[in-house]
Amino acid sequence: MLLNVQPILTLTGNYSPNNREFEVPNMPTSSVCDGIMTTRTSDVLRQPTRPAGMDFNGTWKIYSEENLDEFLKVVGVPEMVIKMRKEVKPVWVIEQNGQDFTCTMKTPMCSHVNSFTIGKESEITTVDGRKFKCMIREENGKLISETEKFTSVREIQGDEMIETITSGPVTFISRSKRV
């Protein structure tokens, strides 16, 4: 016996492992069927979600940096800025609202802010004031940014945030803890 089954609810939107945003058609918030009361919970579906490990929100204190001065030299940072930067361990304040990010690097000398939206071209400013166009994307919970000078990968591993930046033959690794 063949049954002709029609879907009760059709969701529209983009679905991929990292994008679970749907639009739910207007439906009553509750209904009674065979004496059983049901309540619609579609508001949960309307909330953008992010994969585990993608929660960058918070304040992060850098505790370890590898190859900082070599990296800064390769990307052309002035020697005076390199000397000043080597003396401090910055604090990152990251505000993440879905796909929108504001990243503030704080040092005793200055604060430096970059804002971007995943998947949209952005302009980032380096510590020495140079500007680069880039597209920041998310892959498997990692934020990946590529410019003409370097590639940056930022990820959460356990209770650490690790940023690996590569320019030519030099790789700089920064490790931070949430404070």
Side-chain angles (χ1 to χ4, degrees):
M1 178 168 126
L2 294 174
L3 295 175
N4 184 9
V5 179
Q6 297 294 320
I8 296 171
L9 172 67
T10 302
L11 299 176
T12 59
N14 296 325
Y15 179 79
S16 69
N18 296 323
N19 183 4
R20 297 176 183 98
E21 296 183 36
F22 295 96
E23 291 184 25
V24 178
N26 289 333
M27 296 176 52
T29 58
S30 63
S31 64
V32 178
C33 180
D34 295 330
I36 299 171
M37 174 65 89
T38 60
T39 302
R40 177 176 60 121
T41 58
S42 63
D43 288 338
V44 172
L45 292 175
R46 291 185 182 175
Q47 299 300 316
T49 60
R50 51 185 179 250
M54 190 55 186
D55 184 15
F56 288 90
N57 259 327
T59 302
W60 300 86
K61 173 74 174 157
I62 293 176
Y63 70 88
S64 169
E65 297 176 307
E66 301 169 27
N67 296 327
L68 173 64
D69 51 345
E70 293 90 350
F71 170 75
L72 294 176
K73 287 175 186 173
V74 165
V75 295
V77 174
E79 192 64 38
M80 186 171 86
V81 175
I82 293 172
K83 286 180 183 178
M84 289 188 304
R85 177 56 183 83
K86 284 180 8 180
E87 300 299 318
V88 298
K89 296 278 191 241
V91 171
W92 282 100
V93 178
I94 300 176
E95 298 170 25
Q96 177 183 355
N97 184 6
Q99 303 290 306
D100 299 323
F101 286 77
T102 300
C103 300
T104 305
M105 184 179 78
K106 294 183 175 186
T107 69
M109 298 164 282
C110 67
S111 289
H112 180 76
V113 180
N114 281 307
S115 296
F116 61 88
T117 299
I118 293 175
K120 293 185 179 177
E121 185 175 71
S122 301
E123 183 175 83
I124 61 168
T125 306
T126 62
V127 123
D128 62 335
R130 291 179 291 158
K131 297 178 187 270
F132 291 97
K133 296 268 187 202
C134 70
M135 176 87 68
I136 298 173
R137 66 185 188 279
E138 182 274 325
E139 286 182 14
N140 300 317
K142 300 176 184 179
L143 294 179
I144 301 171
S145 169
E146 294 177 291
T147 73
E148 59 200 34
K149 292 270 189 184
F150 57 86
T151 299
S152 167
V153 177
R154 187 176 300 219
E155 62 186 306
I156 306 293
Q157 289 184 0
D159 62 348
E160 290 185 317
M161 179 174 66
I162 300 170
E163 184 172 25
T164 305
I165 309 174
T166 303
S167 180
V170 177
T171 298
F172 163 62
I173 300 172
S174 172
R175 296 176 186 277
S176 307
K177 291 258 187 199
R178 200 183 302 257
V179 293

